[in-house]
Amino acid sequence: MIIFKRPADLRSYLLAKETPRQATGFIPTMGALHSGHISLITKARNENQLVICSIFVNPTQFNDPKDFEKYPSTIENDICLLEQSACDILFLPSVMDIYPNGIDIIRQYDLGPLERILEGQFRPGHFQGVCQVVNRLLEIVMPGKLYLGQKDFQQCMVLKKLISLLGIDTEVIVCPTLREPDGLAMSSRNLRLNQTERKTATAIYHALLTIKDNIKLGDTRLLTQSARQNLSEAGFKVDYVEIAKSETLEILQSWDGTTPLVTLAAAYLNDIRLIDNLLIQAS
Ligand code: AMP
């Protein structure tokens, strides 16, 4: 694996290599890699000649400065995992490389309602920050395929929207969420959970599973309400538990029995914010 820090060096290497765009797979990450990230690398490895991963903890997408400061970093382990999964290139840019004009000069992207609901509502500015960094990374890497995790369901929709807004020639490939044996969605932030919090954390998955298993045609509000209540009683501070159309993320309060759905949750355990979602198809 070759590690590049400077965008210009990575660009010259890619130009000289002449791998077709369509055969280049890209996985942007914030590091502290786990098997969920590696599943994206493995899928990209199977589908491309060239696999590029980036690690960059993007300051503009953290609406809470403490969350940014405490974001875990395990770079040596990350490099080992990427080597083992046959990643070709690791891109490790600095803040200056991504934001040469400084982080305060923010371009605005018209993301529509997606930006105002769920994560957008509870993390103002978050998706604008995500779009800033991914736009810049796509300009540098120019991949044919972008691999994203369903774990960040709304982010996948936002980035599809960004790519269509900008007319970028990159296909988005959404990969399934990898989970711990007890159901907790793998996440870099799980590293910050203490033993007790780690045990409690699995309740998010169970709350979503209960919704998925019990949803019926008609009013769905009781299901989401009782999920919120169960999580609060377990010690979470709940941002949201909702059911939405999986194609548009329009939040629903009743179900017609056929529309494909997604149920999504975000909640804090002390100062650690966890998110998860499950798709629901009519049976
Ligand atoms: P992050 O480093 O958290 O920004 O994540 C980088 C990419 O890995 C994003 O596309 C995430 O959705 C994806 N990802 C994170 N956790 C998981 C997981 N448990 N399973 C699959 N993909 C994941």
Side-chain angles (χ1 to χ4, degrees):
M1 184 171 73
I2 312 178
I3 301 180
F4 289 96
K5 293 195 169 175
R6 291 264 132 86
D9 294 343
L10 174 57
R11 277 299 328 135
S12 340
Y13 177 85
L14 293 175
L15 273 174
K17 198 160 167 67
E18 290 184 344
T19 306
R21 181 169 185 137
Q22 293 321 317
T24 303
F26 177 47
I27 306 95
T29 80
M30 298 205 296
L33 300 183
H34 49 67
S35 306
H37 294 114
I38 297 305
S39 71
L40 273 53
I41 307 278
T42 305
K43 182 158 171 65
R45 179 72 285 161
N46 291 335
E47 297 177 355
N48 296 278
Q49 275 172 43
L50 192 67
V51 177
I52 306 175
C53 173
S54 65
I55 296 181
F56 178 67
V57 184
N58 174 32
T60 65
Q61 75 185 68
F62 286 84
N63 48 315
D64 174 0
K66 282 204 200 100
D67 189 27
F68 177 57
E69 279 160 31
K70 292 188 180 165
Y71 201 83
S73 169
T74 57
I75 189 69
E76 275 168 25
N77 189 53
D78 293 352
I79 292 172
C80 279
L81 289 175
L82 290 171
E83 294 263 14
Q84 283 164 15
S85 46
C87 179
D88 297 304
I89 294 176
L90 169 59
F91 182 39
L92 275 180
S94 69
V95 173
M96 269 302 289
D97 291 323
I98 297 295
Y99 298 106
N101 301 320
I103 57 171
D104 293 333
I105 300 159
I106 298 274
R107 172 176 174 182
Q108 289 293 311
Y109 301 87
D110 181 9
L111 301 172
L114 263 185
E115 193 183 2
R116 295 187 285 276
I117 55 166
L118 304 169
E119 290 298 284
Q121 181 186 343
F122 288 93
R123 301 187 69 189
H126 168 66
F127 286 128
Q128 290 294 334
V130 169
C131 287
Q132 294 279 330
V133 69
V134 174
N135 188 359
R136 176 86 174 116
L137 290 170
L138 292 177
E139 276 169 10
I140 299 166
V141 177
M142 299 171 83
K145 301 192 198 84
L146 175 67
Y147 293 83
L148 302 173
Q150 187 203 310
K151 155 101 189 334
D152 297 279
F153 191 87
Q154 193 171 1
Q155 173 170 277
C156 294
M157 297 189 78
V158 162
L159 292 177
K160 282 182 187 166
K161 171 106 190 178
L162 174 79
I163 284 170
S164 89
L165 275 178
L166 302 176
I168 300 173
D169 183 17
T170 298
E171 181 190 354
V172 171
I173 304 197
V174 179
C175 307
T177 304
L178 254 74
R179 299 181 177 282
E180 301 291 353
D182 65 358
L184 176 67
M186 289 181 183
S187 163
S188 306
R189 287 187 177 86
N190 294 351
L191 287 175
R192 295 189 48 217
L193 299 168
N194 67 29
Q195 237 179 352
T196 321
E197 291 164 342
R198 172 63 190 82
K199 276 198 194 130
T200 310
T202 187
I204 295 200
Y205 170 67
H206 288 289
L208 295 175
L209 204 56
T210 304
I211 292 176
K212 180 174 169 145
D213 290 345
N214 292 290
I215 193 158
K216 292 189 193 71
L217 192 129
D219 199 321
T220 56
R221 280 174 298 185
L222 269 181
L223 271 180
T224 46
Q225 264 165 32
S226 81
R228 280 182 217 118
Q229 193 177 333
N230 289 343
L231 288 175
S232 302
E233 282 167 11
F236 287 87
K237 184 176 98 46
V238 179
D239 272 355
Y240 61 82
V241 178
E242 296 288 359
I243 298 169
K245 288 188 185 176
S246 60
E247 275 167 27
T248 59
L249 221 52
E250 182 194 334
I251 294 168
L252 297 180
Q253 303 196 323
S254 89
W255 188 40
D256 60 11
T258 55
T259 303
L261 303 175
V262 59
T263 178
L264 314 99
Y268 285 88
L269 265 183
N270 298 315
D271 65 339
I272 305 161
R273 190 170 185 277
L274 301 173
I275 62 169
D276 198 357
N277 67 81
L278 288 177
L279 289 167
I280 304 173
Q281 306 285 349
S283 48

